[in-house]
């Protein structure tokens, strides 16, 4: 598998095995199938695993921990996360450390290579588009981020518990741009990269969130990029293989599936599956170090591995995909 430059680690495999599928966020799978999927990923050259406590309430981390038993982890890199929010009692370090301690237990490790903030950034007086009543849990204010989160991350680095820290590139545009241009920028950012340019259901902070703005800022600032949502929660695949959430939370993902009909038609004309084409699109975006996969089984992983071997899209193909929705 292709290796790409990634400043924090030196090089990463072009594909990263994400924990969403392993934690059954994207539909049901068995523990055995999840373990076999991790083994298959490692056997095919994937050297970065991206998990989080939120993926199946620790299930994804536990799967990775079990899968790595008896295996050498010398050439592997592990990323996990913490949904920090904006704690009213300002105990950011304690919250991060407690989350990380549980992650270590799940993973069977004493350190991770990258720790990401899993909550979304907002300015202090910003009112969220959805779930504003839960802003202290789901969003981190800029003052909390600068005054407490960054110092806590740096303390964890000094304690030898993490090598690097970063953020998710989703939230309020203005807050994210401020963070990216701060004197202490993140070592890595997870940016949404897909032909729809959509964050889907997780864009609950801002109704008009534009992932491309954050991606381009990271490219311009040479901040390492990990691509997420390549298939936009299933909207850019042949079929949504899960039922809508009863709460209606993920309705935007299913709306995106309908919107993506021209993409599926074009994929058919080009003789490729929609999921394969979507992953190749993300792999073709400049300065993307690795594309994080949300696969939940070996069949889905095999499709992504095949897509990676097909190489990047041509400039004309990329433009055709960009224009597909830009013109709508």
């Amino acid at each position: 598998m292709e290796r790409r430059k990634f400043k924090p680690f030196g090089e990463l495999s072009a594909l990263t095995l994400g924990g969403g599928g392993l934690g059954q966020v994207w539909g049901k799978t068995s523990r055995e199938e999840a373990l076999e999927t991790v083994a298959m990923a490692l056997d095919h050259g994937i050297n970065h695993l991206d998990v989080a406590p939120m993926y199946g309430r620790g299930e994804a981390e536990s799967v990775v921990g079990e899968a790595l038993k008896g295996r050498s982890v010398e050439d592997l890199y592990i990323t996990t996360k913490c949904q920090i929010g904006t704690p009213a009692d300002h105990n950011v370090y304690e919250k991060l450390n407690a989350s990380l301690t549980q992650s270590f237990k799940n993973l069977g490790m004493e350190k991770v290579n990258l720790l990401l903030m899993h909550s979304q950034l907002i300015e202090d007086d910003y009112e969220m588009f959805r779930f504003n009543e839960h802003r202290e849990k789901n969003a981190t204010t800029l003052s909390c981020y600068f005054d407490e989160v960054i110092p806590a991350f740096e303390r964890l680095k000094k304690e030898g518990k993490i090598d690097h820290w970063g953020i998710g590139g989703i939230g309020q545009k203005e807050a994210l741009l401020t963070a990216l241009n701060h004197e202490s920028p993140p070592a890595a950012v997870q940016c949404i990269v897909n032909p729809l340019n959509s964050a889907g259901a997780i864009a609950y902070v801002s109704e008009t969130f534009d992932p491309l703005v954050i991606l381009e800022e990271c490219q311009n600032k040479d901040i390492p990029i990990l691509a997420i949502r390549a298939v936009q929660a299933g909207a850019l695949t042949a079929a949504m293989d899960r039922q809508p959430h009863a709460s209606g939370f993920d309705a935007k993902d299913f709306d995106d599936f309908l919107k993506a009909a021209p993409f599926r038609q074009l994929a058919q004309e080009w003789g490729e599956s929609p999921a394969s084409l979507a992953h190749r699109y993300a792999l073709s975006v400049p300065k993307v170090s690795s594309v994080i996969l949300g696969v939940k089984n070996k069949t889905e992983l095999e499709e992504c591995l095949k897509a990676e071997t097909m190489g990047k899209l041509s400039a004309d193909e990329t433009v055709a995909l960009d224009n597909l929705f830009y013109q709508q």
Side-chain angles (χ1 to χ4, degrees):
M1 180 173 296
E2 179 193 2
R3 290 286 190 270
R4 297 184 172 190
K5 292 181 179 179
F6 184 66
K7 195 182 303 180
F9 307 157
E11 286 188 339
L12 277 186
S13 52
L15 298 178
T16 288
L17 182 62
L22 303 178
Q24 303 189 43
V25 173
W26 306 122
K28 291 184 178 181
T29 191
S30 66
R31 170 62 76 92
E32 180 182 7
E33 180 70 22
L35 290 170
E36 291 176 357
T37 301
V38 175
M40 182 178 178
L42 299 178
D43 290 344
H44 282 78
I46 288 179
N47 69 348
H48 182 214
L49 305 177
D50 174 275
V51 292
M54 290 181 64
Y55 301 155
R57 297 182 178 180
E59 174 66 9
E61 291 180 328
S62 297
V63 165
V64 168
E66 185 174 344
L68 294 182
K69 286 181 180 178
R71 276 183 177 260
S72 171
V73 297
E74 183 178 349
D75 297 322
L76 292 180
Y77 299 101
I78 307 296
T79 291
T80 194
K81 311 178 185 73
C82 178
Q83 185 170 351
I84 302 165
T86 305
D89 53 6
H90 306 288
N91 63 339
V92 170
Y93 171 80
E94 288 76 10
K95 185 169 185 177
L96 270 172
N97 191 53
S99 176
L100 196 54
T101 298
Q102 183 59 51
S103 292
F104 288 159
K105 182 178 179 181
N106 293 339
L107 291 164
M109 298 176 179
E110 297 180 349
K111 184 184 80 169
V112 293
N113 305 105
L114 179 64
L115 179 62
L116 299 175
M117 186 175 75
H118 215 179
S119 44
Q120 301 187 25
L121 270 176
I122 59 172
E123 294 175 324
D124 287 30
D125 59 352
Y126 184 77
E127 185 170 331
M128 290 165 53
F129 165 58
R130 298 179 67 189
F131 311 122
N132 193 60
E133 65 274 20
H134 302 300
R135 70 200 304 269
E136 288 187 359
K137 177 183 178 182
N138 295 329
T140 299
T141 61
L142 274 181
S143 61
C144 178
Y145 174 70
F146 291 137
D147 297 342
E148 301 177 52
V149 175
I150 292 179
F153 276 142
E154 291 298 330
R155 179 176 170 183
L156 291 169
K157 282 179 65 176
K158 289 181 180 178
E159 293 172 346
K161 297 175 181 177
I162 66 174
D163 289 330
H164 305 277
W165 60 267
I167 64 174
I170 182 168
Q172 180 200 4
K173 177 187 71 175
E174 293 79 5
L176 286 164
L177 292 176
T178 299
L180 296 177
N181 286 278
H182 188 256
E183 61 182 11
S184 297
V189 176
Q190 290 194 337
C191 292
I192 291 163
V193 181
N194 60 61
L196 284 167
N197 191 37
S198 173
I202 61 173
Y204 52 76
V205 164
S206 172
E207 185 176 13
T208 58
F209 180 69
D210 184 355
L212 187 58
V213 171
I214 308 306
L215 172 67
E216 290 179 342
E217 190 70 7
C218 289
Q219 291 171 325
N220 292 336
K221 295 292 180 181
D222 201 25
I223 297 175
I225 298 165
L226 298 168
I228 60 173
R229 294 239 160 184
V231 294
Q232 204 325 71
L236 292 166
T237 64
M240 297 288 275
D241 60 356
R242 69 183 193 278
Q243 294 300 311
H245 197 277
S247 68
F249 169 78
D250 58 356
K252 183 63 169 64
D253 298 335
F254 287 82
D255 290 344
D256 276 352
F257 178 80
L258 298 178
K259 181 181 178 181
F263 172 80
R264 288 187 288 278
Q265 177 61 39
L266 187 59
Q268 183 178 16
E269 293 173 6
W270 289 357
E272 191 169 351
S273 75
S276 174
L277 183 57
H279 282 105
R280 288 181 66 212
Y281 175 89
L283 286 165
S284 303
V285 170
K287 296 190 177 181
V288 165
S289 294
S290 188
V291 175
I292 300 177
L293 309 177
V295 299
K296 60 182 177 292
N297 54 48
K298 298 191 299 296
T299 300
E300 293 176 355
L301 175 59
E302 185 176 15
E303 184 175 20
C304 294
L305 292 170
K306 181 179 178 181
E308 191 273 335
T309 65
M310 294 172 68
K312 296 180 181 179
L313 300 175
S314 68
D316 288 344
E317 289 171 330
T318 299
V319 169
L321 290 174
D322 286 335
N323 290 341
L324 199 59
F325 299 106
Y326 177 77
Q327 294 175 347
Q328 287 189 359

